[in-house]
Amino acid sequence: MQKRIFTLSIVLMTMIVSVAFAQSEATTPPMSFNIAKEVKPPLWEIVEEPHFVDADGNNTIDANEQCRIVMKIKNIGMGDGMGLTAKISAKGTTNGISIADHKLPTIPVNSTRTIEFPINTDMNTADGAVEFTVYVDEPLGFSTDPYIIRIRSRKFQEPLIVVKDYVVSGVNGGTLKRQMPFSLEILVQNTQQGLGENVHVELQYPNNVFNSSGNDLYTYSELLPGESKRLSYNLIISNKYEGATLPLKVKIREKYGRYAQDKEIDLTLDQPLLAGRTIEVESQVARTDIMDAQLRSDVDRDIPKTSKNNSHRFAIIIGNQDYHTYQTGLEQEQDVPFAVEDANVFKQYCIHTLGFMEDNVVLLNNATSAKMKQEIDWITRLASRDPQSEIVFYYAGHGYPNEATKEPYLIPVDVNANSLSTAIPLYELYAKLANSGASKVTIFLDACFSGGGRDVGLVASRGVKITPKKDILTGNVVVFSATTADQSALPYNDKHHGMFTYFLLKMMKETNGDFTYKELYEYLKKNVDDSCLRVNRKEQTPEVNTSYQVQDVWENWKF
């Protein structure tokens, strides 16, 4: 009996343990294990750290600019980089700035890839700073480390495209007339800090006015802050035009349609016309120093004026610039740069600063042989009737020597250097002026006479290669020459004048015309020589030549 009780206890205990074990299995979740699988993750080496790239290179996020952050990475891991995303976020002055994440192609093991994070801006971009966070995201967590980049932002910089200056040239006698061709040169400038884009400049003019150059419209993809462009038009007015004035309009358009100013220019017919005038524009410079562009130099503006008039003074002024139009076989490069402008402005100084009566001044632009001889004869006859007369002769243009005799000649625009029979010999010019009986004859020659071989022809530098003969002067004559015998008379391109003429005019302006001939000669010799060596890298030394009659008194002569 006792044995049966013990056996039953064992059975009961076994049942209790089994039930407890079954309950334990029902309440405890089973352990989870990954099935064995091979994983080869990518790993990254930063070849180039993230850096900012913008179109204009100013390291600033500008309004209306497409820029980007760029980095270069290399996959040095065990597997290809797949499902990658270029991640970018921003905080700070984010007005007008747009960014977006974008998917990347697979980067195989041992491959290098450049990653770009585009940044686009619009007109609402503001001044400030933006902090960007960039990295490459990998789905399994094998991402690059994030980088933080801080970049300045800048609001929209407005351009302003305007007509800064214009010049009318090629006007015979300084008067605008029907059926007489003339040139209009316009200077357009971006006067503000913004980039001018898609700039269109159109010249509009009335009926019965014609543009022989055929280029009414000029187009520029961009104008940088302060940048200027020269526009040239060759115009002519027909007899059918009935107006007393010639209204011209310069119409300017740019990318945004709001940052340009049109300009109206009114020219008067049949009245003396200045070479040009300046339109003043108020500058609003922000950060970049912008110099006002001008077609004309400092000596062309604010010409000194005297209240005195001297009716005994006579002048003949010649600017021979355009040789290629009058002669076959010559190119435009063989013209004389700025000779017409030289003559036009010299005339203004004669009238306004030195007191010449306008009726006593003859201006010839691009003069033919017949016209030069006719006007020289007229001025000497006129002066011969006045015992107190003074004559000024000014010439800018080509000179050339006779190869056989080395006699120097002035070259009219219709005279070929290979045939000098109708050119103007200097010795004849000197003699004619001296024999006029004038009390003073002053000659200014912005030309040189050191010609080359016959197959060379005229050259653009106003000079050539032979040492010309130096004439012996008689009478009350003083000659100021732009060069010594074997040099070239060169231009001063930045000033739009011959080098010699520029400093001749500058002396008149600085002194209001009150100087002795000795002071003038010393000023010209120093400034022309120094400036020509600096600007043109060539020597040009002005000379003075006098007759024996005035060799002891000419230095004290004054206008």
Side-chain angles (χ1 to χ4, degrees), residues 359-374:
D359 290 343
N360 290 352
V361 178
V362 174
L363 173 65
L364 300 178
N365 286 327
N366 299 319
T368 62
S369 175
K371 191 66 175 175
M372 285 179 66
K373 292 177 180 178
Q374 174 186 330

Side-chain angles (χ1 to χ4, degrees), residues 424-436:
I424 311 294
L426 269 187
Y427 72 90
E428 288 188 6
L429 171 70
Y430 294 158
K432 185 177 287 290
L433 295 176
N435 292 335
S436 68

Side-chain angles (χ1 to χ4, degrees), residues 82-87 100-106 115-116 137 139:
M82 296 182 290
L84 306 174
T85 303
K87 292 279 192 177
D101 300 341
H102 63 279
K103 297 296 184 181
L104 298 174
T106 297
I115 311 298
E116 295 191 355
D137 180 67

Side-chain angles (χ1 to χ4, degrees), residues 333-353:
E333 289 74 16
Q334 293 170 287
D335 291 342
V336 179
F338 317 125
V340 167
E341 186 73 2
D342 287 344
N344 287 340
V345 180
F346 184 80
K347 175 187 175 181
Q348 300 303 318
Y349 274 88
C350 284
I351 295 170
H352 297 296
T353 308

Side-chain angles (χ1 to χ4, degrees), residues 212-286:
S212 61
S213 52
N215 53 338
D216 293 341
L217 179 66
Y218 285 83
T219 302
Y220 305 100
S221 60
E222 63 180 31
L223 280 182
L224 300 175
E227 185 179 9
S228 60
K229 296 289 184 181
R230 298 172 182 274
L231 291 64
S232 296
Y233 306 90
N234 297 322
L235 304 176
I236 187 168
I237 309 166
S238 80
N239 276 334
K240 289 186 176 181
Y241 185 75
E242 298 179 350
T245 62
L246 177 60
L248 305 172
K249 184 173 183 178
V250 184
K251 197 174 185 65
I252 307 177
R253 293 293 176 266
E254 48 76 46
K255 179 179 179 179
Y256 302 102
R258 56 178 124 165
Y259 302 113
Q261 293 179 355
D262 297 340
K263 183 62 190 177
E264 294 183 356
I265 300 171
D266 288 319
L267 304 179
T268 303
L269 274 65
D270 301 319
Q271 292 186 20
L273 186 69
L274 291 178
R277 49 186 280 251
T278 301
I279 300 92
E280 298 293 340
V281 177
E282 183 179 354
S283 177
Q284 298 178 358
V285 176

Side-chain angles (χ1 to χ4, degrees), residues 390-519:
E390 301 175 12
I391 295 178
V392 169
F393 180 91
Y394 172 91
Y395 176 81
H398 275 307
Y400 217 79
N402 182 304
E403 276 194 79
T405 65
K406 296 188 179 181
E407 291 287 352
Y409 289 76
L410 301 181
I411 308 298
V413 293
D414 61 342
V415 172
N416 190 293
N418 294 322
S419 177
L420 299 175
S421 60
T422 55
I424 311 294
L426 269 187
Y427 72 90
E428 288 188 6
L429 171 70
Y430 294 158
K432 185 177 287 290
L433 295 176
N435 292 335
S436 68
S439 62
K440 286 198 302 187
V441 176
T442 308
I443 298 172
F444 297 102
L445 299 176
D446 196 350
C448 60
F449 305 91
S450 50
R454 292 182 181 272
D455 60 339
V456 175
L458 300 174
V459 292
S461 66
R462 303 185 181 184
V464 273
K465 313 291 178 186
I466 295 173
T467 301
K469 178 180 177 181
K470 191 168 184 178
D471 291 295
I472 298 175
L473 302 178
T474 60
N476 301 322
V477 178
V478 176
V479 180
F480 292 89
S481 301
T483 71
T484 58
D486 58 351
Q487 294 175 339
S488 297
L490 298 164
Y492 198 165
N493 291 316
D494 287 348
K495 302 298 184 181
H496 277 222
H497 283 291
M499 184 70 72
F500 174 81
T501 296
Y502 171 76
F503 284 106
L504 171 60
L505 301 175
K506 193 170 181 66
M507 179 65 165
M508 292 183 183
K509 182 173 183 176
E510 291 178 351
T511 63
N512 294 322
D514 185 13
F515 54 83
T516 66
Y517 279 23
K518 180 182 179 182
E519 291 170 340

